Amino acid sequence: MNEINEVLILGSIALDTIETKFGKKEDLLGGSATYATIGAGFYGSPIPIGIVGDDFPEKGDEIFNNFSSNLDNIEKKHGKTFSWGGKYHNNGDDRDTLFTDLGVFESFEPVLHSKNVKASWVFLANIHPSLQLSVLNQCKNNPTVITDTMNLWIDTTLQELKKIIKRTDILLINESELSLLTKNENILESSKQVLSMGPQKIVVKLGSKGARCISKNEDISVGVYPVKDVVDPTGAGDVFGGGFVSGLIDNLSTSESMLRGSALASFCIEEFGVSKLININKNDVEKRMESIK
Ligand code: AMP
């Protein structure tokens, strides 16, 4: 079977309404799959898996086309695109979800295109664990599995999430989700707990403090590029994840892959939505990677 050395990216494709201390914007292109595809798409051609409604803007199609040459697994269905509203606290990190409107996502049953079942990499970005499981079960090539999740699924669908974690090679998770999952606030101890659940590596996202990868033999930390005004932190973790996976596909070391993810995430937070990210190039990313080092 011919392998495809690209990454399938499952997640939400959304229209976001976001409020931060820098203002409020409506119907921004967002979603975990969107941000992750952009993060990975600077260096490769990721394969997003998701669904949009007939209100999805042309500009959104254009952006996906710029970051992927394989959009066979984006479904378009009559109805409304998934939409999410969030308001950030003044500290810039914490946020409240104001609304989640599933729209066409409610009946989403992803079916992988026959050529996409051979992908060697799968990034299960944040989405309901049952969808993550469904996509994983359709993969035929024993892919390397990178998984992200959120507190909602730890709180509401823990048993299904544990099934996914068991089949995950690298778990991406932020610090507060990690302590929620393990009931332990010590990063090293809780990471070891996660390693005993299945993954070979865990990457703990530490927000403005960077990220730390822990495995049996490694404990690697990377920092962040200092951004003066964090205008909108939405999607930073997904962009990090997309960039990180693209580094692994390019055979970069774990720490170089994390640096790539961190540099990309620093652009994400500088403007609302994806607007900064879609106006940078690889050269900009490399410069920030050097600067973080
Ligand atoms: P992050 O800032 O990394 O948590 O991800 C931001 C994206 O996640 C936003 O663009 C939202 O559209 C999307 N999102 C919010 N809630 C959910 C959910 N329950 N499932 C999937 N995606 C979501």
Side-chain angles (χ1 to χ4, degrees):
M1 190 181 272
N2 292 333
E3 290 185 18
I4 306 179
N5 198 26
E6 296 288 355
V7 60
L8 295 176
I9 299 183
L10 169 71
S12 54
I13 301 175
L15 296 176
D16 288 341
T17 295
I18 291 170
E19 205 174 331
T20 74
K21 65 178 175 188
F22 293 91
K24 180 178 176 182
K25 301 270 180 188
E26 293 184 359
D27 289 337
L28 292 169
L29 177 64
S32 54
T34 306
Y35 281 108
T37 297
I38 294 175
F42 281 93
Y43 292 88
S45 178
I47 306 163
I49 306 168
I51 187 167
V52 297
D54 38 22
D55 57 349
F56 195 64
E58 251 176 55
K59 179 77 185 161
D61 290 330
E62 203 183 290
I63 292 171
F64 270 99
N65 265 304
N66 287 342
F67 288 91
S68 168
S69 54
N70 179 343
L71 301 177
D72 293 339
N73 266 108
I74 294 194
E75 243 181 86
K76 212 163 221 176
K77 203 176 163 188
H78 181 58
K80 283 181 71 183
T81 301
F82 174 91
S83 63
W84 175 79
K87 182 173 178 176
Y88 286 84
H89 298 187
N90 276 345
N91 67 11
D93 271 336
D94 300 323
R95 71 182 181 203
D96 297 318
T97 288
L98 300 182
F99 64 87
T100 304
D101 185 353
L102 290 178
V104 289
F105 235 100
E106 200 152 11
S107 54
F108 183 40
E109 288 176 13
V111 177
L112 287 188
H113 192 284
S114 57
K115 73 177 194 231
N116 294 340
V117 299
K118 299 171 192 165
S120 311
W121 302 83
V122 182
F123 181 13
L124 303 170
N126 173 33
I127 200 73
H128 196 294
S130 65
L131 292 178
Q132 294 182 321
L133 214 47
S134 156
V135 164
L136 200 48
N137 286 339
Q138 293 174 58
C139 292
K140 302 270 184 258
N141 219 8
N142 194 22
T144 302
V145 182
I146 297 95
T147 301
D148 200 344
T149 191
M150 75 187 288
N151 48 6
L152 176 66
W153 314 125
I154 299 172
D155 283 332
T156 60
T157 46
L158 186 59
Q159 290 319 311
E160 256 176 314
L161 181 62
K162 280 186 175 168
K163 283 189 201 160
I164 290 288
I165 293 177
K166 194 170 177 193
R167 293 171 64 184
T168 292
D169 295 286
I170 307 176
L171 183 71
L172 304 180
I173 194 164
N174 73 34
E175 197 175 0
S176 61
E177 292 158 355
L178 177 62
S179 56
L180 183 67
L181 178 67
T182 58
K183 314 239 177 317
N184 185 337
E185 293 200 347
N186 178 297
I187 295 183
L188 193 57
E189 286 172 15
S190 50
S191 295
K192 287 193 174 149
Q193 244 172 284
V194 169
L195 295 179
S196 72
M197 294 163 76
Q200 288 151 26
K201 290 182 186 183
I202 173 167
V203 177
V204 188
K205 295 176 284 179
L206 303 167
S208 56
K209 290 176 280 161
R212 182 169 168 189
C213 175
I214 295 169
S215 68
K216 225 167 138 189
N217 311 312
E218 292 169 315
D219 186 348
I220 299 165
S221 292
V222 299
V224 295
Y225 180 85
V227 167
K228 191 167 147 269
D229 286 329
V230 179
V231 172
D232 172 15
T234 311
D238 307 310
V239 171
F240 174 93
F244 172 71
V245 176
S246 78
L248 299 180
I249 297 175
D250 287 346
N251 272 322
L252 298 189
S253 66
T254 305
S255 67
E256 284 283 321
S257 301
M258 289 167 75
L259 268 176
R260 188 187 274 184
S262 184
L264 278 158
S266 73
F267 291 106
C268 176
I269 64 182
E270 281 185 342
E271 284 178 22
F272 277 98
V274 302
S275 45
K276 177 81 182 197
L277 279 172
I278 59 175
N279 286 310
I280 59 164
N281 57 40
K282 279 203 262 190
N283 204 12
D284 300 318
V285 181
E286 312 286 328
K287 277 195 212 146
R288 286 206 179 173
M289 285 174 69
E290 281 307 312
S291 154
I292 298 170
K293 269 186 205 170

